[in-house]
Amino acid sequence: MKHRLLVPLNRQQLELMDRTIAQGVAPDRAALLRLALREYGPPHRAPAAHKQPTAEPAKESA
């Protein structure tokens, strides 16, 4: 499944990407963005919409 994503970047961000690519981290900008999404995504994934949030037990006041 292919997805299209528009990522607006300023000149400084593009230069940073190009320097990172020059270091051999990824072959091009698209590959670098895919790598960043793979690394960033799982730890920041939103909870599934169908799951009900679990209620925390009431805290007793002292």
Side-chain angles (χ1 to χ4, degrees):
M1 175 188 310
K2 288 196 173 205
H3 297 279
R4 293 184 68 97
L5 181 64
L6 177 62
V7 181
L9 300 171
N10 63 34
R11 182 172 297 195
Q12 183 179 15
Q13 291 166 321
L14 289 171
E15 290 173 359
L16 177 60
M17 286 182 71
D18 291 340
R19 285 196 305 266
T20 303
I21 291 165
Q23 292 175 357
V25 174
D28 55 33
R29 290 176 178 172
L32 184 59
L33 284 172
R34 284 192 297 272
L35 174 63
L37 290 171
R38 278 195 306 272
E39 290 183 359
Y40 180 86
H44 298 89
R45 183 165 294 176
H50 67 278
K51 291 184 180 179
Q52 293 291 332
T54 57
E56 292 184 23
K59 295 181 181 177
E60 295 180 26
S61 57

